[in-house]
Each structure stands twice: as C-alpha cells, then as structure tokens.
C-alpha cells in the first residue's frame, strides 16, 4: 500500500491567523452571551481552547483583544455591505434597502458584541480613548464609502441619515436581546424603512435642501 502524502506544514502566519479566527469567534460569543464585564482574556482563551500563554502571545492585554474584535468585525461588515449593495443598481432602491441590510448586519451576534465594547469601554479609562478614536475612524470611513450614493441621490444630509440608520439598528439590536418577543423589533425596522421612503419622496419633490 502506498503511503498517504504528508500534509504540508502550515506557516507561522497561517497558524497565527487561524488562532486569531478562533479567538475572534470566542470573543464575539462571550460578548454576545455574557456581556462586556464577563469577557476577560481568560474566559475567551478557555472558550477558544487556548492556553493562557498562547492567548497572551496573540493579545497581551484585554484592551488589545477588544480593539481587535471591533476592527475585525468592521472588516467583516464591509464585505457583507459590499456584496448586498452590489446586487442593487438603482440608487434610490439602494437607500430603501439600507435599513434592512444594516439591521441584518448589526443584529448579528458580532454586531451586538461590538456594541458591548463601545458601551462598556466608557467605564474603562485604559480602553475608552482608543475605542473612541477607532470608532470615529470607522464612522468616517463608512461616510467615505457611502458618499457616492449620497451624491447620486442629491442628498447633502446623507451622512446624518446613515448615522441615524446605523445607530437605530444598534439600539434595536439591544432591544431584541432584551425583548420577550424579539420578532416584534422587526416592526421598528420596517418603520425605519418607511421613514427613508418619506425622505426619498421629499427629495424627489425638491422639498429637502
């Protein structure tokens, strides 16, 4: 019988990348289920099946871990937004779809996990400034990426509308985790889409600046 071919050895970069993926999944799960205060590096390491040493090699501090979660989740979200929006060519239909797409993205466990970090970091002096700077950079980047849609629609107030949709969805994601009837939150998402329809109607009539 011929011997099975040996598996190629993974590079250090590949091993490190796979470890970080495990840590990210474990951190998101911990933040989503247990909240900010309970999400320690030790808790995440145990959930990811890593030793304390392996965890500290990747993330020396809790702040490093939580900032990584925010950055990594944002990169994931960008891919989802790009895929969903690419399927819609008409600018008005893109905007009409935006509340639903944002809701689907931000109501995921990953979206709730990031919100836990944003809120929880306010009471952590070592993390608060870094999270605030990172969040401001992410928001500015999102405005740049959506600027073309605002220009196509002739809406100078478009960044304010995007901010409203995003933070409404973030708030509703928390409401969903606390509600005895999570499905009822869908009515609010639909209402947000109806609000966008009214804004589009006003824009079409020239009623908006």
């Amino acid at each position: 019988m011929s011997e099975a071919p040996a598996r190629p050895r993974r590079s250090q970069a590949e091993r490190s990348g796979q470890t970080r993926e495990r840590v990210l999944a474990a951190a998101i799960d911990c933040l989503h289920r247990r909240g900010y205060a309970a999400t320690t590096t030790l808790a995440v390491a145990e959930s990811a099946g890593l030793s304390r040493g392996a965890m500290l090699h990747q993330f020396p501090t809790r702040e490093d871990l939580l900032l990584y979660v925010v950055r990594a989740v944002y990169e994931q979200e960008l891919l989802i937004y790009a895929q969903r929006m690419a399927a819609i060519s008409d600018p008005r239909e893109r905007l009409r779809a935006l509340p639903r797409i944002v809701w689907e993205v931000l109501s995921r466990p990953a979206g709730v996990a990031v919100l836990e970090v944003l809120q929880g970091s306010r009471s952590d002096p070592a993390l608060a400034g870094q999270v605030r700077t990172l969040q401001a950079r992410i928001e500015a980047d999102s405005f740049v990426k959506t600027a073309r849609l605002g220009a196509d629609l002739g809406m100078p107030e478009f960044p304010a509308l995007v901010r409203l949709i995003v933070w409404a969805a973030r708030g509703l994601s928390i409401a969903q985790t606390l509600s005895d009837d999570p499905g009822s939150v869908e009515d609010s998402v639909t209402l947000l889409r109806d609000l966008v329809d009214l804004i589009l109607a006003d824009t079409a009539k020239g009623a908006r600046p």
Side-chain angles (χ1 to χ4, degrees):
M1 295 178 62
S2 60
E3 295 184 1
R7 291 183 178 180
R9 288 174 60 95
R10 294 176 299 164
S11 68
Q12 179 60 38
E14 289 174 331
R15 291 195 297 272
S16 179
Q18 290 174 353
T19 298
R20 284 180 167 249
E21 288 178 3
R22 287 166 59 189
V23 170
L24 178 62
I28 287 172
D29 181 66
C30 193
L31 284 161
H32 180 248
R33 290 190 302 107
R34 301 168 61 182
Y36 175 83
T39 303
T40 64
T41 52
L42 180 58
V44 173
E46 289 178 349
S47 179
L50 297 177
S51 68
R52 183 174 182 274
M55 184 69 175
L56 292 177
H57 177 72
Q58 294 290 337
F59 302 100
T61 68
R62 183 172 186 255
E63 289 76 27
D64 293 328
L65 171 63
L66 296 178
L67 289 169
Y68 169 69
V69 169
V70 176
R71 285 192 296 264
V73 170
Y74 178 61
E75 292 298 323
Q76 292 177 351
E77 291 171 351
L78 285 179
L79 292 175
I80 298 172
Y81 287 133
Q83 292 169 352
R84 292 294 306 276
M85 298 297 272
I88 308 170
S89 58
D90 181 77
R92 292 173 63 84
E93 290 305 313
R94 281 190 167 195
L95 181 55
R96 292 188 74 248
L98 194 58
R100 174 61 56 182
I101 294 172
V102 170
W103 168 244
E104 291 174 357
V105 170
L106 297 184
S107 63
R108 299 178 308 146
V112 176
V114 167
L115 189 54
E116 283 285 334
V117 176
L118 298 181
Q119 288 290 98
S121 67
R122 296 173 61 208
S123 61
D124 185 342
L127 186 59
Q130 296 181 76
V131 168
R132 190 177 299 114
T133 299
L134 177 57
Q135 175 57 29
R137 190 181 307 135
I138 287 173
E139 184 175 74
D141 181 56
S142 70
F143 289 158
V144 170
K145 286 180 166 54
T146 57
R148 175 62 183 273
L149 179 57
D152 289 343
L153 292 167
M155 297 176 63
E157 74 277 36
F158 189 72
L161 179 58
V162 171
R163 184 182 291 113
L164 173 62
I165 293 171
V166 166
W167 285 98
R170 287 199 188 280
L172 290 171
S173 71
I174 294 299
Q176 181 174 249
T177 65
L178 299 174
S179 176
D180 292 331
D181 181 16
S184 64
V185 176
E186 290 286 336
D187 295 337
S188 297
V189 178
T190 299
L191 189 60
L192 188 59
R193 205 281 309 276
D194 292 344
L195 174 62
V196 168
D197 281 342
L198 290 174
I199 293 172
L200 281 169
D202 283 350
T203 301
K205 291 186 294 187
R208 305 189 66 80

